[in-house]
Amino acid sequence: YSYSRTVLSGITSSVNTISCRTLGLIGFQYSYDYSKYQFNLEGMTDRFEAPSGRIMNDLAYSPLAMGALTLGVSVKDMSAAYATFANNGVYREGRTFTKVYDGEGNLVLDNEQESKQILSEKSVNYMNYCLINATANGTGREADFQGQTIAGKTGSTSEFKDRWYCGFTGYYTAAVWTGYDRPEVIRPTSVNPAAVLFKKVMQPLHNGKSRVSLYSTSGMKGYSVCLDSGKRATSACGKDVRGMSRVASARVYPEDVTSGYCNKHVSVTLCSGGG
């Protein structure tokens, strides 16, 4: 039985194969360049020689689709990257200070923030739509709290030796990593301490603040899609002989809707006696 998914459900439930298949479609080099030079994940490398002499790089499925970067990534870089989705696609360089004045009030250092538009409005709407669902209905539920729209994504490494949650509201963005200096399993594995910590810090910061929307569906329309063909669903797609509806609902921009209707499911009339 082939169980296909939409990108939305893949992000919501942290299905790694969705990330790998997406990476396969856009290519290693494009993904690497966009991550390193647009989102400024400077730790990414196309060549690193380990002390053992082994040559490693981040142009592969494991680092790009699964996040297993050769040299890792900092929470500062991750928070700046995720803030792009909260900031209408504008990347802003992370800073630890803005200005420094001397005792007489003279400006000594002006740490002006660099910014650049790296995502379209459409991309931001799609991504925020997915990330909100991942927090409200998916693996990031422990980070969710009342009164705000929260978007974000969890992350973990093998045997839960690292746990992540990176998320944002209309006011703040935060990236949280939990782990040990010498990696060991974080127990209980059923709880993501990074998501729990995100909520404990962020919820008080939003007391008294009004809810802010993170995406707009004004240009989107609802469609029914067949999970087997990827085309518009017909009534037959909901009556698959394997006993499960193969219809998924999606909100997309009309220009992105696949052309044509499903040709994999066909309604036929059978003789109950002869089959």
Side-chain angles (χ1 to χ4, degrees):
Y1 179 64
S2 173
Y3 189 72
S4 302
R5 286 180 178 266
T6 62
V7 171
L8 172 63
S9 68
I11 293 175
T12 300
S13 303
S14 288
V15 181
N16 294 328
T17 52
I18 298 295
S19 299
C20 291
R21 292 187 66 181
T22 303
L23 175 62
L25 291 172
I26 66 177
F28 290 165
Q29 192 66 57
Y30 181 85
S31 178
Y32 175 88
D33 289 345
Y34 215 95
S35 301
K36 184 177 179 70
Y37 302 115
Q38 297 299 323
F39 282 102
N40 281 16
L41 300 182
E42 296 179 349
M44 300 183 72
T45 178
D46 56 7
R47 191 183 190 280
F48 175 77
E49 184 174 351
S52 63
R54 180 187 177 191
I55 304 300
M56 307 167 67
N57 69 77
D58 290 329
L59 285 156
Y61 276 107
S62 181
L64 291 176
M66 308 289 287
L69 298 175
T70 302
L71 301 176
V73 64
S74 70
V75 290
K76 179 184 177 182
D77 285 348
M78 289 299 286
S79 62
Y82 269 78
T84 305
F85 299 114
N87 197 37
N88 299 317
V90 175
Y91 174 87
R92 288 179 175 166
E93 183 183 19
R95 300 176 295 177
T96 52
F97 71 92
T98 55
K99 290 179 172 65
V100 177
Y101 296 89
D102 63 18
E104 298 178 352
N106 299 310
L107 182 65
V108 178
L109 293 173
D110 187 356
N111 191 14
E112 185 175 350
Q113 190 179 47
E114 294 185 6
S115 63
K116 54 184 176 179
Q117 185 83 41
I118 66 171
L119 297 173
S120 67
E121 179 182 0
K122 180 192 290 188
S123 295
V124 170
N125 277 334
Y126 274 144
M127 202 66 218
N128 289 1
Y129 174 44
C130 293
L131 292 175
I132 289 170
N133 204 57
T135 298
N137 305 307
T139 57
R141 284 188 291 266
E142 292 163 308
D144 200 17
F145 56 86
Q146 295 294 318
Q148 289 295 325
T149 301
I150 304 160
K153 185 72 186 70
T154 56
S156 60
T157 55
S158 298
E159 299 179 333
F160 297 108
K161 293 181 178 180
D162 299 88
R163 303 299 295 267
W164 284 84
Y165 181 82
C166 301
F168 54 91
T169 67
Y171 298 96
Y172 303 107
T173 300
V176 184
W177 169 84
T178 54
Y180 297 94
D181 290 340
R182 297 183 64 182
E184 58 181 272
V185 179
I186 301 174
R187 299 188 184 279
T189 57
S190 60
V191 176
N192 184 341
V196 173
L197 183 57
F198 177 92
K199 179 178 179 179
K200 285 183 178 294
V201 173
M202 294 287 265
Q203 189 169 21
L205 289 175
H206 289 80
N207 287 340
K209 295 185 181 296
S210 58
R211 183 188 295 270
V212 175
S213 177
L214 295 175
Y215 72 95
S216 171
T217 59
S218 60
M220 300 182 185
K221 293 184 178 180
Y223 295 92
S224 294
V225 180
C226 174
L227 290 172
D228 291 317
S229 67
K231 298 182 178 182
R232 300 278 296 276
T234 67
S235 59
C237 302
K239 303 173 183 177
D240 191 285
V241 295
R242 293 168 288 186
M244 181 182 293
S245 173
R246 304 300 293 148
V247 179
S249 298
R251 296 189 67 86
V252 299
Y253 288 91
E255 62 268 25
D256 295 331
V257 178
T258 181
S259 60
Y261 286 83
C262 175
N263 56 1
K264 291 185 177 292
H265 293 98
V266 180
S267 295
V268 297
T269 303
L270 293 177
C271 172
S272 59

